[in-house]
Amino acid sequence: MAGRMTFEDLKSAFQNGSVDTVLVCMVDMQGRLMGKRFHVANFLESAHEETHCCNYLLATDLDMATPDGYAAASWEAGYGDYVMRPDLDTLRPLPWLEGTVMVLCDILDHHTHEEVAHSPRAVLKRQVARLTGMGFVPMMATELEFVLFEKSLEELRAGGYRNLKPYSGYNEDYHILQTTKEEHVMRPVRNHLWAAGIPVENTKGEAGIGQEELNIKYAPAMDTADYHTIAKHAVKEIAWQNGRAASFIAKWSHDDLGSSSHVHQSLWQDDQPAFFDEKDPLGMSRLMKRYVAGLVKYAPDYTYFLAPYVNSYKRFVKGSFAPTRIIWSVDNRTAGFRLCGANTRGVRIECRIGGSDMNPYLALAAQLAAGIRGIEEQLKLALPAIGDVYAGDDSGSIPANLRDARETLAGSAMLRTAMGDDVVDHYARAAEWELEEFGRVVTDYEIARGFEKA
């Protein structure tokens, strides 16, 4: 595998003329790459140490609006600068863009040079550091699902995103014939990401119409979030280069399945899987049981970080492979948490709540925080559910909408202790703003339902 570059590699690439552009990127609240394109000479001269960005990039929404109510940035405070400090360990080529490499940045306060607590990478770093202090390394993997559409982003935008037509016309779950038709997009996705140092395992068709899944090898938590973010960006760009649109919206149509982002996780200690106990009937160590109990108990608290938009909650439908209840089971895709690899060293827990629209840094951090609390509280794990979890009662239901998820986030003592009041308040305001924006819009559904009949 090609992969990450050193600073010396970049100097050599500049000298031989193979690189002329450096994408210097931060990760915003929505999990997107924002930043600047530097000429490689300037990056090598000075920008590798730091550059700047407006602090509204961590106090905005999908439309890049400037809502009020944030303590960290406002019109009153003048929307000043943050420092973007390149993490040179993330330097890598972007083979789908000619002569281009990229680097991810940590975000620092312009005056103190302290890391900005609510920046997504900082939020995850804090939880990883807590586990490091306990002697553990969190190993994680995310699955990326998305829908590939026939037309380009520009064509769909011009048409008001109506009459959307996915690239396939039927369920393509594991379907080789249909996915062969999509190889003009998916083959370069796999190969370019591999060349960029992202350890891609495979792609496959998913159960929705036009739905794809990209799987990347498990890695330490920060690497996993970086891989996820770069891969999601790459999928959009490579699809665009091929005249297609790739969408990571959680639910693009009420008639079709939603797109998820399942998170697999385990803890390791001294290069050994700390979740494995060969004497246990399922291979689960006491540590794992306490961790999973924390995931289950505190899932309502962190659901916002797995489902951050109004649309996100449209996924949670019975019989859709998206969970509706916060419950765990053994190798059971109807549950919110699925035990995978039972009785093996690869035993792990899969959280199935997250949608394809989640910010991976925040989603991983929130789950680690819940797992840590489960360990600290020595929680007892209930027996696994058996059978069709959809058929059970409504106990332990996932928050039904963004409003409920926002309230549990704001009231979470666990997350306030783990992440800090400032971080929780910041993202609670983000959720509140999404609700305000949705609440003022008259939708097509309302017009069609009530225009004549009301």
mmCIF file with all atom_site columns, all heavy atoms in Angstrom, residues 227-252:
data_model
loop_
_atom_site.group_PDB
_atom_site.id
_atom_site.type_symbol
_atom_site.label_atom_id
_atom_site.label_alt_id
_atom_site.label_comp_id
_atom_site.label_asym_id
_atom_site.label_entity_id
_atom_site.label_seq_id
_atom_site.pdbx_PDB_ins_code
_atom_site.Cartn_x
_atom_site.Cartn_y
_atom_site.Cartn_z
_atom_site.occupancy
_atom_site.B_iso_or_equiv
_atom_site.pdbx_formal_charge
_atom_site.auth_seq_id
_atom_site.auth_comp_id
_atom_site.auth_asym_id
_atom_site.auth_atom_id
_atom_site.pdbx_PDB_model_num
ATOM 1   N N   . TYR A 1 227 ? -9.801  8.105  8.571   1.00 0.00 ? 227 TYR A N   1
ATOM 2   C CA  . TYR A 1 227 ? -10.089 7.296  7.380   1.00 0.00 ? 227 TYR A CA  1
ATOM 3   C C   . TYR A 1 227 ? -11.518 7.535  6.885   1.00 0.00 ? 227 TYR A C   1
ATOM 4   O O   . TYR A 1 227 ? -11.765 7.697  5.693   1.00 0.00 ? 227 TYR A O   1
ATOM 5   C CB  . TYR A 1 227 ? -9.926  5.807  7.692   1.00 0.00 ? 227 TYR A CB  1
ATOM 6   C CG  . TYR A 1 227 ? -8.531  5.337  8.027   1.00 0.00 ? 227 TYR A CG  1
ATOM 7   C CD1 . TYR A 1 227 ? -8.333  4.129  8.711   1.00 0.00 ? 227 TYR A CD1 1
ATOM 8   C CD2 . TYR A 1 227 ? -7.403  6.078  7.687   1.00 0.00 ? 227 TYR A CD2 1
ATOM 9   C CE1 . TYR A 1 227 ? -7.057  3.672  9.017   1.00 0.00 ? 227 TYR A CE1 1
ATOM 10  C CE2 . TYR A 1 227 ? -6.126  5.629  8.006   1.00 0.00 ? 227 TYR A CE2 1
ATOM 11  C CZ  . TYR A 1 227 ? -5.956  4.422  8.669   1.00 0.00 ? 227 TYR A CZ  1
ATOM 12  O OH  . TYR A 1 227 ? -4.706  3.970  8.977   1.00 0.00 ? 227 TYR A OH  1
ATOM 13  N N   . HIS A 1 228 ? -12.455 7.524  7.825   1.00 0.00 ? 228 HIS A N   1
ATOM 14  C CA  . HIS A 1 228 ? -13.866 7.699  7.496   1.00 0.00 ? 228 HIS A CA  1
ATOM 15  C C   . HIS A 1 228 ? -14.090 9.040  6.785   1.00 0.00 ? 228 HIS A C   1
ATOM 16  O O   . HIS A 1 228 ? -14.746 9.109  5.735   1.00 0.00 ? 228 HIS A O   1
ATOM 17  C CB  . HIS A 1 228 ? -14.687 7.629  8.783   1.00 0.00 ? 228 HIS A CB  1
ATOM 18  C CG  . HIS A 1 228 ? -16.164 7.794  8.608   1.00 0.00 ? 228 HIS A CG  1
ATOM 19  N ND1 . HIS A 1 228 ? -17.057 6.802  8.941   1.00 0.00 ? 228 HIS A ND1 1
ATOM 20  C CD2 . HIS A 1 228 ? -16.913 8.834  8.163   1.00 0.00 ? 228 HIS A CD2 1
ATOM 21  C CE1 . HIS A 1 228 ? -18.285 7.218  8.685   1.00 0.00 ? 228 HIS A CE1 1
ATOM 22  N NE2 . HIS A 1 228 ? -18.227 8.449  8.222   1.00 0.00 ? 228 HIS A NE2 1
ATOM 23  N N   . THR A 1 229 ? -13.526 10.094 7.356   1.00 0.00 ? 229 THR A N   1
ATOM 24  C CA  . THR A 1 229 ? -13.749 11.431 6.824   1.00 0.00 ? 229 THR A CA  1
ATOM 25  C C   . THR A 1 229 ? -13.140 11.591 5.434   1.00 0.00 ? 229 THR A C   1
ATOM 26  O O   . THR A 1 229 ? -13.771 12.138 4.522   1.00 0.00 ? 229 THR A O   1
ATOM 27  C CB  . THR A 1 229 ? -13.149 12.475 7.789   1.00 0.00 ? 229 THR A CB  1
ATOM 28  O OG1 . THR A 1 229 ? -13.787 12.334 9.072   1.00 0.00 ? 229 THR A OG1 1
ATOM 29  C CG2 . THR A 1 229 ? -13.347 13.884 7.284   1.00 0.00 ? 229 THR A CG2 1
ATOM 30  N N   . ILE A 1 230 ? -11.921 11.105 5.264   1.00 0.00 ? 230 ILE A N   1
ATOM 31  C CA  . ILE A 1 230 ? -11.266 11.202 3.965   1.00 0.00 ? 230 ILE A CA  1
ATOM 32  C C   . ILE A 1 230 ? -11.992 10.337 2.940   1.00 0.00 ? 230 ILE A C   1
ATOM 33  O O   . ILE A 1 230 ? -12.201 10.760 1.787   1.00 0.00 ? 230 ILE A O   1
ATOM 34  C CB  . ILE A 1 230 ? -9.784  10.791 4.088   1.00 0.00 ? 230 ILE A CB  1
ATOM 35  C CG1 . ILE A 1 230 ? -9.042  11.766 4.995   1.00 0.00 ? 230 ILE A CG1 1
ATOM 36  C CG2 . ILE A 1 230 ? -9.122  10.722 2.707   1.00 0.00 ? 230 ILE A CG2 1
ATOM 37  C CD1 . ILE A 1 230 ? -7.668  11.285 5.431   1.00 0.00 ? 230 ILE A CD1 1
ATOM 38  N N   . ALA A 1 231 ? -12.415 9.150  3.338   1.00 0.00 ? 231 ALA A N   1
ATOM 39  C CA  . ALA A 1 231 ? -13.115 8.255  2.413   1.00 0.00 ? 231 ALA A CA  1
ATOM 40  C C   . ALA A 1 231 ? -14.449 8.847  1.966   1.00 0.00 ? 231 ALA A C   1
ATOM 41  O O   . ALA A 1 231 ? -14.808 8.783  0.788   1.00 0.00 ? 231 ALA A O   1
ATOM 42  C CB  . ALA A 1 231 ? -13.325 6.893  3.065   1.00 0.00 ? 231 ALA A CB  1
ATOM 43  N N   . LYS A 1 232 ? -15.192 9.413  2.888   1.00 0.00 ? 232 LYS A N   1
ATOM 44  C CA  . LYS A 1 232 ? -16.479 10.021 2.543   1.00 0.00 ? 232 LYS A CA  1
ATOM 45  C C   . LYS A 1 232 ? -16.277 11.158 1.545   1.00 0.00 ? 232 LYS A C   1
ATOM 46  O O   . LYS A 1 232 ? -17.023 11.276 0.555   1.00 0.00 ? 232 LYS A O   1
ATOM 47  C CB  . LYS A 1 232 ? -17.157 10.523 3.825   1.00 0.00 ? 232 LYS A CB  1
ATOM 48  C CG  . LYS A 1 232 ? -18.545 11.107 3.616   1.00 0.00 ? 232 LYS A CG  1
ATOM 49  C CD  . LYS A 1 232 ? -19.178 11.453 4.961   1.00 0.00 ? 232 LYS A CD  1
ATOM 50  C CE  . LYS A 1 232 ? -20.555 12.083 4.786   1.00 0.00 ? 232 LYS A CE  1
ATOM 51  N NZ  . LYS A 1 232 ? -21.184 12.397 6.100   1.00 0.00 ? 232 LYS A NZ  1
ATOM 52  N N   . HIS A 1 233 ? -15.274 11.972 1.783   1.00 0.00 ? 233 HIS A N   1
ATOM 53  C CA  . HIS A 1 233 ? -14.955 13.062 0.871   1.00 0.00 ? 233 HIS A CA  1
ATOM 54  C C   . HIS A 1 233 ? -14.557 12.506 -0.500  1.00 0.00 ? 233 HIS A C   1
ATOM 55  O O   . HIS A 1 233 ? -15.011 13.005 -1.541  1.00 0.00 ? 233 HIS A O   1
ATOM 56  C CB  . HIS A 1 233 ? -13.820 13.897 1.460   1.00 0.00 ? 233 HIS A CB  1
ATOM 57  C CG  . HIS A 1 233 ? -13.456 15.091 0.647   1.00 0.00 ? 233 HIS A CG  1
ATOM 58  N ND1 . HIS A 1 233 ? -14.122 16.286 0.743   1.00 0.00 ? 233 HIS A ND1 1
ATOM 59  C CD2 . HIS A 1 233 ? -12.491 15.267 -0.286  1.00 0.00 ? 233 HIS A CD2 1
ATOM 60  C CE1 . HIS A 1 233 ? -13.587 17.164 -0.091  1.00 0.00 ? 233 HIS A CE1 1
ATOM 61  N NE2 . HIS A 1 233 ? -12.592 16.567 -0.735  1.00 0.00 ? 233 HIS A NE2 1
ATOM 62  N N   . ALA A 1 234 ? -13.742 11.472 -0.499  1.00 0.00 ? 234 ALA A N   1
ATOM 63  C CA  . ALA A 1 234 ? -13.274 10.886 -1.754  1.00 0.00 ? 234 ALA A CA  1
ATOM 64  C C   . ALA A 1 234 ? -14.421 10.308 -2.571  1.00 0.00 ? 234 ALA A C   1
ATOM 65  O O   . ALA A 1 234 ? -14.473 10.467 -3.796  1.00 0.00 ? 234 ALA A O   1
ATOM 66  C CB  . ALA A 1 234 ? -12.239 9.795  -1.464  1.00 0.00 ? 234 ALA A CB  1
ATOM 67  N N   . VAL A 1 235 ? -15.344 9.621  -1.911  1.00 0.00 ? 235 VAL A N   1
ATOM 68  C CA  . VAL A 1 235 ? -16.488 9.040  -2.612  1.00 0.00 ? 235 VAL A CA  1
ATOM 69  C C   . VAL A 1 235 ? -17.262 10.125 -3.354  1.00 0.00 ? 235 VAL A C   1
ATOM 70  O O   . VAL A 1 235 ? -17.620 9.969  -4.528  1.00 0.00 ? 235 VAL A O   1
ATOM 71  C CB  . VAL A 1 235 ? -17.406 8.288  -1.626  1.00 0.00 ? 235 VAL A CB  1
ATOM 72  C CG1 . VAL A 1 235 ? -18.770 8.005  -2.258  1.00 0.00 ? 235 VAL A CG1 1
ATOM 73  C CG2 . VAL A 1 235 ? -16.751 6.991  -1.179  1.00 0.00 ? 235 VAL A CG2 1
ATOM 74  N N   . LYS A 1 236 ? -17.515 11.239 -2.695  1.00 0.00 ? 236 LYS A N   1
ATOM 75  C CA  . LYS A 1 236 ? -18.259 12.327 -3.325  1.00 0.00 ? 236 LYS A CA  1
ATOM 76  C C   . LYS A 1 236 ? -17.500 12.890 -4.528  1.00 0.00 ? 236 LYS A C   1
ATOM 77  O O   . LYS A 1 236 ? -18.080 13.136 -5.593  1.00 0.00 ? 236 LYS A O   1
ATOM 78  C CB  . LYS A 1 236 ? -18.537 13.439 -2.313  1.00 0.00 ? 236 LYS A CB  1
ATOM 79  C CG  . LYS A 1 236 ? -19.537 13.069 -1.233  1.00 0.00 ? 236 LYS A CG  1
ATOM 80  C CD  . LYS A 1 236 ? -19.802 14.267 -0.328  1.00 0.00 ? 236 LYS A CD  1
ATOM 81  C CE  . LYS A 1 236 ? -20.853 13.958 0.723   1.00 0.00 ? 236 LYS A CE  1
ATOM 82  N NZ  . LYS A 1 236 ? -21.154 15.135 1.563   1.00 0.00 ? 236 LYS A NZ  1
ATOM 83  N N   . GLU A 1 237 ? -16.189 13.102 -4.355  1.00 0.00 ? 237 GLU A N   1
ATOM 84  C CA  . GLU A 1 237 ? -15.409 13.690 -5.438  1.00 0.00 ? 237 GLU A CA  1
ATOM 85  C C   . GLU A 1 237 ? -15.259 12.732 -6.618  1.00 0.00 ? 237 GLU A C   1
ATOM 86  O O   . GLU A 1 237 ? -15.360 13.143 -7.787  1.00 0.00 ? 237 GLU A O   1
ATOM 87  C CB  . GLU A 1 237 ? -14.035 14.121 -4.929  1.00 0.00 ? 237 GLU A CB  1
ATOM 88  C CG  . GLU A 1 237 ? -14.088 15.341 -4.030  1.00 0.00 ? 237 GLU A CG  1
ATOM 89  C CD  . GLU A 1 237 ? -12.742 15.970 -3.766  1.00 0.00 ? 237 GLU A CD  1
ATOM 90  O OE1 . GLU A 1 237 ? -11.716 15.265 -3.888  1.00 0.00 ? 237 GLU A OE1 1
ATOM 91  O OE2 . GLU A 1 237 ? -12.702 17.166 -3.425  1.00 0.00 ? 237 GLU A OE2 1
ATOM 92  N N   . ILE A 1 238 ? -15.006 11.460 -6.343  1.00 0.00 ? 238 ILE A N   1
ATOM 93  C CA  . ILE A 1 238 ? -14.799 10.497 -7.419  1.00 0.00 ? 238 ILE A CA  1
ATOM 94  C C   . ILE A 1 238 ? -16.108 10.241 -8.166  1.00 0.00 ? 238 ILE A C   1
ATOM 95  O O   . ILE A 1 238 ? -16.116 10.115 -9.400  1.00 0.00 ? 238 ILE A O   1
ATOM 96  C CB  . ILE A 1 238 ? -14.184 9.196  -6.862  1.00 0.00 ? 238 ILE A CB  1
ATOM 97  C CG1 . ILE A 1 238 ? -12.763 9.477  -6.350  1.00 0.00 ? 238 ILE A CG1 1
ATOM 98  C CG2 . ILE A 1 238 ? -14.164 8.094  -7.916  1.00 0.00 ? 238 ILE A CG2 1
ATOM 99  C CD1 . ILE A 1 238 ? -12.145 8.353  -5.538  1.00 0.00 ? 238 ILE A CD1 1
ATOM 100 N N   . ALA A 1 239 ? -17.223 10.184 -7.436  1.00 0.00 ? 239 ALA A N   1
ATOM 101 C CA  . ALA A 1 239 ? -18.516 10.055 -8.105  1.00 0.00 ? 239 ALA A CA  1
ATOM 102 C C   . ALA A 1 239 ? -18.764 11.276 -8.988  1.00 0.00 ? 239 ALA A C   1
ATOM 103 O O   . ALA A 1 239 ? -19.205 11.148 -10.145 1.00 0.00 ? 239 ALA A O   1
ATOM 104 C CB  . ALA A 1 239 ? -19.633 9.907  -7.076  1.00 0.00 ? 239 ALA A CB  1
ATOM 105 N N   . TRP A 1 240 ? -18.469 12.472 -8.495  1.00 0.00 ? 240 TRP A N   1
ATOM 106 C CA  . TRP A 1 240 ? -18.645 13.700 -9.270  1.00 0.00 ? 240 TRP A CA  1
ATOM 107 C C   . TRP A 1 240 ? -17.775 13.683 -10.529 1.00 0.00 ? 240 TRP A C   1
ATOM 108 O O   . TRP A 1 240 ? -18.223 14.073 -11.616 1.00 0.00 ? 240 TRP A O   1
ATOM 109 C CB  . TRP A 1 240 ? -18.290 14.897 -8.392  1.00 0.00 ? 240 TRP A CB  1
ATOM 110 C CG  . TRP A 1 240 ? -18.236 16.192 -9.137  1.00 0.00 ? 240 TRP A CG  1
ATOM 111 C CD1 . TRP A 1 240 ? -19.286 16.976 -9.505  1.00 0.00 ? 240 TRP A CD1 1
ATOM 112 C CD2 . TRP A 1 240 ? -17.058 16.838 -9.621  1.00 0.00 ? 240 TRP A CD2 1
ATOM 113 N NE1 . TRP A 1 240 ? -18.837 18.088 -10.191 1.00 0.00 ? 240 TRP A NE1 1
ATOM 114 C CE2 . TRP A 1 240 ? -17.474 18.022 -10.282 1.00 0.00 ? 240 TRP A CE2 1
ATOM 115 C CE3 . TRP A 1 240 ? -15.694 16.541 -9.557  1.00 0.00 ? 240 TRP A CE3 1
ATOM 116 C CZ2 . TRP A 1 240 ? -16.561 18.901 -10.873 1.00 0.00 ? 240 TRP A CZ2 1
ATOM 117 C CZ3 . TRP A 1 240 ? -14.797 17.409 -10.150 1.00 0.00 ? 240 TRP A CZ3 1
ATOM 118 C CH2 . TRP A 1 240 ? -15.233 18.580 -10.800 1.00 0.00 ? 240 TRP A CH2 1
ATOM 119 N N   . GLN A 1 241 ? -16.535 13.208 -10.391 1.00 0.00 ? 241 GLN A N   1
ATOM 120 C CA  . GLN A 1 241 ? -15.646 13.140 -11.550 1.00 0.00 ? 241 GLN A CA  1
ATOM 121 C C   . GLN A 1 241 ? -16.195 12.213 -12.634 1.00 0.00 ? 241 GLN A C   1
ATOM 122 O O   . GLN A 1 241 ? -15.862 12.365 -13.814 1.00 0.00 ? 241 GLN A O   1
ATOM 123 C CB  . GLN A 1 241 ? -14.257 12.646 -11.115 1.00 0.00 ? 241 GLN A CB  1
ATOM 124 C CG  . GLN A 1 241 ? -13.471 13.662 -10.309 1.00 0.00 ? 241 GLN A CG  1
ATOM 125 C CD  . GLN A 1 241 ? -12.198 13.078 -9.721  1.00 0.00 ? 241 GLN A CD  1
ATOM 126 O OE1 . GLN A 1 241 ? -12.043 11.859 -9.596  1.00 0.00 ? 241 GLN A OE1 1
ATOM 127 N NE2 . GLN A 1 241 ? -11.262 13.951 -9.344  1.00 0.00 ? 241 GLN A NE2 1
ATOM 128 N N   . ASN A 1 242 ? -17.046 11.268 -12.224 1.00 0.00 ? 242 ASN A N   1
ATOM 129 C CA  . ASN A 1 242 ? -17.624 10.317 -13.163 1.00 0.00 ? 242 ASN A CA  1
ATOM 130 C C   . ASN A 1 242 ? -19.068 10.655 -13.528 1.00 0.00 ? 242 ASN A C   1
ATOM 131 O O   . ASN A 1 242 ? -19.795 9.810  -14.063 1.00 0.00 ? 242 ASN A O   1
ATOM 132 C CB  . ASN A 1 242 ? -17.540 8.904  -12.584 1.00 0.00 ? 242 ASN A CB  1
ATOM 133 C CG  . ASN A 1 242 ? -16.136 8.341  -12.641 1.00 0.00 ? 242 ASN A CG  1
ATOM 134 O OD1 . ASN A 1 242 ? -15.717 7.792  -13.648 1.00 0.00 ? 242 ASN A OD1 1
ATOM 135 N ND2 . ASN A 1 242 ? -15.397 8.487  -11.547 1.00 0.00 ? 242 ASN A ND2 1
ATOM 136 N N   . GLY A 1 243 ? -19.481 11.876 -13.235 1.00 0.00 ? 243 GLY A N   1
ATOM 137 C CA  . GLY A 1 243 ? -20.810 12.325 -13.627 1.00 0.00 ? 243 GLY A CA  1
ATOM 138 C C   . GLY A 1 243 ? -21.945 11.784 -12.793 1.00 0.00 ? 243 GLY A C   1
ATOM 139 O O   . GLY A 1 243 ? -23.109 11.851 -13.199 1.00 0.00 ? 243 GLY A O   1
ATOM 140 N N   . ARG A 1 244 ? -21.634 11.252 -11.621 1.00 0.00 ? 244 ARG A N   1
ATOM 141 C CA  . ARG A 1 244 ? -22.650 10.713 -10.715 1.00 0.00 ? 244 ARG A CA  1
ATOM 142 C C   . ARG A 1 244 ? -22.689 11.526 -9.420  1.00 0.00 ? 244 ARG A C   1
ATOM 143 O O   . ARG A 1 244 ? -21.763 12.262 -9.112  1.00 0.00 ? 244 ARG A O   1
ATOM 144 C CB  . ARG A 1 244 ? -22.359 9.240  -10.371 1.00 0.00 ? 244 ARG A CB  1
ATOM 145 C CG  . ARG A 1 244 ? -22.040 8.355  -11.555 1.00 0.00 ? 244 ARG A CG  1
ATOM 146 C CD  . ARG A 1 244 ? -23.215 8.191  -12.495 1.00 0.00 ? 244 ARG A CD  1
ATOM 147 N NE  . ARG A 1 244 ? -22.869 7.379  -13.648 1.00 0.00 ? 244 ARG A NE  1
ATOM 148 C CZ  . ARG A 1 244 ? -23.586 7.297  -14.759 1.00 0.00 ? 244 ARG A CZ  1
ATOM 149 N NH1 . ARG A 1 244 ? -24.717 7.981  -14.883 1.00 0.00 ? 244 ARG A NH1 1
ATOM 150 N NH2 . ARG A 1 244 ? -23.192 6.537  -15.764 1.00 0.00 ? 244 ARG A NH2 1
ATOM 151 N N   . ALA A 1 245 ? -23.754 11.333 -8.672  1.00 0.00 ? 245 ALA A N   1
ATOM 152 C CA  . ALA A 1 245 ? -23.866 11.943 -7.350  1.00 0.00 ? 245 ALA A CA  1
ATOM 153 C C   . ALA A 1 245 ? -23.904 10.847 -6.298  1.00 0.00 ? 245 ALA A C   1
ATOM 154 O O   . ALA A 1 245 ? -24.630 9.862  -6.448  1.00 0.00 ? 245 ALA A O   1
ATOM 155 C CB  . ALA A 1 245 ? -25.134 12.786 -7.257  1.00 0.00 ? 245 ALA A CB  1
ATOM 156 N N   . ALA A 1 246 ? -23.118 11.016 -5.262  1.00 0.00 ? 246 ALA A N   1
ATOM 157 C CA  . ALA A 1 246 ? -23.147 10.115 -4.121  1.00 0.00 ? 246 ALA A CA  1
ATOM 158 C C   . ALA A 1 246 ? -23.683 10.887 -2.926  1.00 0.00 ? 246 ALA A C   1
ATOM 159 O O   . ALA A 1 246 ? -23.181 11.966 -2.613  1.00 0.00 ? 246 ALA A O   1
ATOM 160 C CB  . ALA A 1 246 ? -21.758 9.568  -3.811  1.00 0.00 ? 246 ALA A CB  1
ATOM 161 N N   . SER A 1 247 ? -24.704 10.340 -2.277  1.00 0.00 ? 247 SER A N   1
ATOM 162 C CA  . SER A 1 247 ? -25.319 11.040 -1.148  1.00 0.00 ? 247 SER A CA  1
ATOM 163 C C   . SER A 1 247 ? -25.223 10.211 0.126   1.00 0.00 ? 247 SER A C   1
ATOM 164 O O   . SER A 1 247 ? -25.526 9.013  0.125   1.00 0.00 ? 247 SER A O   1
ATOM 165 C CB  . SER A 1 247 ? -26.794 11.336 -1.435  1.00 0.00 ? 247 SER A CB  1
ATOM 166 O OG  . SER A 1 247 ? -27.393 11.943 -0.299  1.00 0.00 ? 247 SER A OG  1
ATOM 167 N N   . PHE A 1 248 ? -24.831 10.895 1.211   1.00 0.00 ? 248 PHE A N   1
ATOM 168 C CA  . PHE A 1 248 ? -24.748 10.272 2.527   1.00 0.00 ? 248 PHE A CA  1
ATOM 169 C C   . PHE A 1 248 ? -25.896 10.730 3.425   1.00 0.00 ? 248 PHE A C   1
ATOM 170 O O   . PHE A 1 248 ? -25.822 10.571 4.643   1.00 0.00 ? 248 PHE A O   1
ATOM 171 C CB  . PHE A 1 248 ? -23.406 10.605 3.181   1.00 0.00 ? 248 PHE A CB  1
ATOM 172 C CG  . PHE A 1 248 ? -22.237 9.889  2.554   1.00 0.00 ? 248 PHE A CG  1
ATOM 173 C CD1 . PHE A 1 248 ? -21.649 10.368 1.399   1.00 0.00 ? 248 PHE A CD1 1
ATOM 174 C CD2 . PHE A 1 248 ? -21.737 8.730  3.117   1.00 0.00 ? 248 PHE A CD2 1
ATOM 175 C CE1 . PHE A 1 248 ? -20.573 9.716  0.813   1.00 0.00 ? 248 PHE A CE1 1
ATOM 176 C CE2 . PHE A 1 248 ? -20.661 8.063  2.544   1.00 0.00 ? 248 PHE A CE2 1
ATOM 177 C CZ  . PHE A 1 248 ? -20.078 8.561  1.387   1.00 0.00 ? 248 PHE A CZ  1
ATOM 178 N N   . ILE A 1 249 ? -26.948 11.283 2.842   1.00 0.00 ? 249 ILE A N   1
ATOM 179 C CA  . ILE A 1 249 ? -28.114 11.617 3.647   1.00 0.00 ? 249 ILE A CA  1
ATOM 180 C C   . ILE A 1 249 ? -28.656 10.326 4.260   1.00 0.00 ? 249 ILE A C   1
ATOM 181 O O   . ILE A 1 249 ? -28.613 9.257  3.642   1.00 0.00 ? 249 ILE A O   1
ATOM 182 C CB  . ILE A 1 249 ? -29.191 12.330 2.810   1.00 0.00 ? 249 ILE A CB  1
ATOM 183 C CG1 . ILE A 1 249 ? -30.266 12.933 3.712   1.00 0.00 ? 249 ILE A CG1 1
ATOM 184 C CG2 . ILE A 1 249 ? -29.795 11.411 1.763   1.00 0.00 ? 249 ILE A CG2 1
ATOM 185 C CD1 . ILE A 1 249 ? -31.245 13.847 2.974   1.00 0.00 ? 249 ILE A CD1 1
ATOM 186 N N   . ALA A 1 250 ? -29.135 10.392 5.489   1.00 0.00 ? 250 ALA A N   1
ATOM 187 C CA  . ALA A 1 250 ? -29.537 9.165  6.183   1.00 0.00 ? 250 ALA A CA  1
ATOM 188 C C   . ALA A 1 250 ? -30.752 8.504  5.550   1.00 0.00 ? 250 ALA A C   1
ATOM 189 O O   . ALA A 1 250 ? -30.862 7.277  5.519   1.00 0.00 ? 250 ALA A O   1
ATOM 190 C CB  . ALA A 1 250 ? -29.812 9.461  7.656   1.00 0.00 ? 250 ALA A CB  1
ATOM 191 N N   . LYS A 1 251 ? -31.683 9.291  5.041   1.00 0.00 ? 251 LYS A N   1
ATOM 192 C CA  . LYS A 1 251 ? -32.925 8.732  4.469   1.00 0.00 ? 251 LYS A CA  1
ATOM 193 C C   . LYS A 1 251 ? -33.321 9.599  3.287   1.00 0.00 ? 251 LYS A C   1
ATOM 194 O O   . LYS A 1 251 ? -33.888 10.680 3.455   1.00 0.00 ? 251 LYS A O   1
ATOM 195 C CB  . LYS A 1 251 ? -34.015 8.713  5.538   1.00 0.00 ? 251 LYS A CB  1
ATOM 196 C CG  . LYS A 1 251 ? -35.303 8.026  5.119   1.00 0.00 ? 251 LYS A CG  1
ATOM 197 C CD  . LYS A 1 251 ? -35.244 6.516  5.256   1.00 0.00 ? 251 LYS A CD  1
ATOM 198 C CE  . LYS A 1 251 ? -36.636 5.912  5.151   1.00 0.00 ? 251 LYS A CE  1
ATOM 199 N NZ  . LYS A 1 251 ? -36.617 4.440  5.223   1.00 0.00 ? 251 LYS A NZ  1
ATOM 200 N N   . TRP A 1 252 ? -33.035 9.143  2.070   1.00 0.00 ? 252 TRP A N   1
ATOM 201 C CA  . TRP A 1 252 ? -33.298 9.981  0.897   1.00 0.00 ? 252 TRP A CA  1
ATOM 202 C C   . TRP A 1 252 ? -34.732 9.842  0.402   1.00 0.00 ? 252 TRP A C   1
ATOM 203 O O   . TRP A 1 252 ? -35.245 10.722 -0.292  1.00 0.00 ? 252 TRP A O   1
ATOM 204 C CB  . TRP A 1 252 ? -32.318 9.644  -0.226  1.00 0.00 ? 252 TRP A CB  1
ATOM 205 C CG  . TRP A 1 252 ? -32.598 8.351  -0.958  1.00 0.00 ? 252 TRP A CG  1
ATOM 206 C CD1 . TRP A 1 252 ? -32.155 7.112  -0.610  1.00 0.00 ? 252 TRP A CD1 1
ATOM 207 C CD2 . TRP A 1 252 ? -33.372 8.192  -2.152  1.00 0.00 ? 252 TRP A CD2 1
ATOM 208 N NE1 . TRP A 1 252 ? -32.612 6.172  -1.508  1.00 0.00 ? 252 TRP A NE1 1
ATOM 209 C CE2 . TRP A 1 252 ? -33.350 6.804  -2.470  1.00 0.00 ? 252 TRP A CE2 1
ATOM 210 C CE3 . TRP A 1 252 ? -34.071 9.064  -2.974  1.00 0.00 ? 252 TRP A CE3 1
ATOM 211 C CZ2 . TRP A 1 252 ? -34.024 6.294  -3.572  1.00 0.00 ? 252 TRP A CZ2 1
ATOM 212 C CZ3 . TRP A 1 252 ? -34.739 8.551  -4.080  1.00 0.00 ? 252 TRP A CZ3 1
ATOM 213 C CH2 . TRP A 1 252 ? -34.708 7.184  -4.375  1.00 0.00 ? 252 TRP A CH2 1
#
